[in-house]
Amino acid sequence: MYLYRPWYVVASTPLPKNIVVVLDTSSSMKAKHGNETVLDLAKLAAKTVLGTLSPSDKVAFISFAAEVEIPLGKSYASHCFSDHLADAVPSNIAYLNSHIDEREAYGSTFYTDALEKAFMFLKNSENGGTRDKVILFLTDGIPTDSKQMVMNTIQQRNEELNNGVMIITYGLGAAAQKEGREILTSMANQDGTLYGVPPRGQVRKGQYIEIQNPDELRTKMALYYALFFDSRTKHSPKVSVPYLDAWGLGLITTVSLPIVINGQLKGVVGLDLTMIDLLEDVLYLQKGELSYAFIIDDRGRAVLHPLLPSPLDVFEDPILINITDIERGADFEQVYTSMTKGSAGTKDLTAVRTFSKGEWSLEGRVTKTFSATYYWKPIEVIGYSLCLVLTKDFKQIDLASLVSSGDDFLYHRLDLIERNSDLCRYYNTSSLRSGRSTVKFAAEAFTDPSRYLDTEETAGRVRHYTKFMNDRIGFVPNPGFKSDIRNNVIATRQAEKYWPSFHRLDSGIQHWIPWRYIGTYNGVFRRIPGGMNHKLYSPSMRPWFKKAVGNPAKLTFSTPYLDAFGAGYVITLSQTIYEGRSSGVHAETDRIAAVMGADFTLDYAYHLLARHGICNSDSTDETLEKSDIRCFVMDNSGFIVIHADFRKPDSSCDNNSSHFSHKNVENVHITGKFGFRRICFRLLKV
């Protein structure tokens, strides 16, 4: 129901909330109501309350009977659940929901200890910010302990919090009768006069809500936030934290505003924006290898950063972290303070950029430290702040204007071009018998990436691409590419001079080297033999590209993987290409323009290794003299790249099972360039 959605609640209650849900699990909650127990309905109500919260809120859950029970928490951060309020992020809400599901009814009904624990949560989570603080207290019984003690506890503990806590009580069963109604009303009003505890000072009164029909419990409890609505507040649009859309739009955010008529809340109007549409200018920013941008919200949480998953790759609600956990420069705190206040500015800092060496989880990372200038500015209305980090020596360098030969470009959508006798089936994809290359553009190659991703390509659009790229006189209008894309298409065509003509599909070379390709940072991908790629394919995001960038000026091998187009298990050999210098001499610190790669079948890769005279014990080449030595190749992360076992029909070549330590060589002690096998390997001497 929309009334329980976080975007609706955020618009209705402008302040974030510190909330403690207190649930009675005494024996009387076993009472049946239809096919369910009252406790089952109470659990559902509690979980519905949790579902109204946004990550800006904080929450705790307490169940009580003869004793108080609280979540034990996760081992690495148990205090987040057992003595502090937890951020109401999806992972924490899921954990609390599972804890609620496990509660069972037993014992009597002691209020005092539960209230002590609730105030403890709120006190331990005080951080000086302005937040609504509330305890939701649900019970079906009168207290077993002293009512005077209950009211004394509320009075004393709330005074420690400047009487800033509101209590909302919910009574059903015996708690909805006269005696229960009196104590629960006194608790909500924080007035214990009936029990010899008169009020002291001004308190924030809550409300007692009576539940005659347990079926109404969920609805009445989930609308707790209505008490926080203030018609005198000047409302402004509220932007939700990003979340995964239930209807398949991917990561979205909701901008919402309450509808207030004659001082009464009548509803909320909302607008959903996909994060890709909202952030595309930053998402596809191309300012060299080191420069980057990030976006935070008004609470300092990272919305977009190179170290976070791209909105294109998120398939579950994101984990929100503070930007200071990513940007750890010594003086970044000044930038952070200014950004969270909605200010603009610039500052020179030493920045650290972390890159993957390929697959993040398998091949590690490499860091580069550089002098940078941080430029930041607030994004009006939505409450975000953008920061652009540019290297101090950054200069926009474009290729000199190149003239097309008139035949530099063939688009990868072979299904949309006129059919001819050159078209054929190559492995599991369409290709060209002549072995000619095709070009695929990533979204970042376009001035409007979202339009490219959302618009279906047609034969007419492909013809426009082709005419523009092959135009020799500048007559054809640009169909939406960034200014440097055409030059990159023309420049990458020169690679075909070095891709020999025997890459014709009737040459037989495809049995050994299925593909060769070149990809640029700005989204141009040229492959030979040509063929179709997925629309979301981006060369700079591929492991072979990242691995080459992480090892500049070196030939890099990937671990074996299953080729998407049917060539079987292959390995990729790739190397960086630098921006041009008149001298033709480059250093590892030069700016990288592109990465070139080639895929080798495992048979061919091992054949090359076996050609080495001492490494041919497993070779099937009858012309080679056999030796007793077996060889393998591993990368600098310890993963096996070439091994005789990979050539076996039943080999899966899975990365996780092809590490050096998994190949029965764990007792090999590596010294310098040589390894010596030992019967007993003493790890303490390593």
Side-chain angles (χ1 to χ4, degrees), residues 298-310:
D298 57 356
R299 300 185 185 280
R301 295 174 297 212
V303 175
L304 183 70
H305 192 281
L307 290 180
L308 297 178
S310 165

Side-chain angles (χ1 to χ4, degrees), residues 520-539:
T520 67
Y521 264 115
N522 59 7
V524 175
F525 179 69
R526 183 182 289 274
R527 182 177 65 161
I528 186 171
M532 293 190 292
N533 288 85
H534 193 280
K535 198 170 190 178
L536 293 178
Y537 187 90
S538 174

Side-chain angles (χ1 to χ4, degrees), residues 230-281:
D230 188 347
S231 61
R232 298 167 299 177
T233 301
K234 183 178 179 180
H235 295 278
S236 58
K238 297 295 180 181
V239 181
S240 73
V241 298
Y243 62 95
L244 201 65
D245 178 57
W247 306 105
L249 290 178
L251 205 60
I252 66 172
T253 186
T254 299
V255 183
S256 55
L257 188 68
I259 301 172
V260 181
I261 301 176
N262 296 327
Q264 293 186 327
L265 177 67
K266 295 298 184 179
V268 171
V269 60
L271 173 68
D272 288 344
L273 297 172
T274 69
M275 296 304 290
I276 294 174
D277 288 336
L278 187 62
L279 306 177
E280 68 175 2
D281 289 339

Side-chain angles (χ1 to χ4, degrees), residues 83-97:
D83 57 25
H84 281 69
L85 298 174
D87 291 331
V89 296
S91 58
N92 288 344
I93 296 299
Y95 177 78
L96 290 175
N97 281 338

Side-chain angles (χ1 to χ4, degrees), residues 54 115 150 156 256 372 417 422 454 464 471 487 501 530 549 614:
S54 77
L115 289 166
V150 169
Q156 294 169 12
S256 55
I417 65 174
D422 197 28
D454 295 339
H464 195 171
D471 182 17
N487 272 348
S501 58
V549 170
I614 64 171

Side-chain angles (χ1 to χ4, degrees), residues 35-49:
N35 294 326
E36 298 176 290
T37 66
V38 174
L39 180 59
D40 291 332
L41 297 173
K43 289 178 182 180
L44 177 61
K47 292 193 292 184
T48 303
V49 169

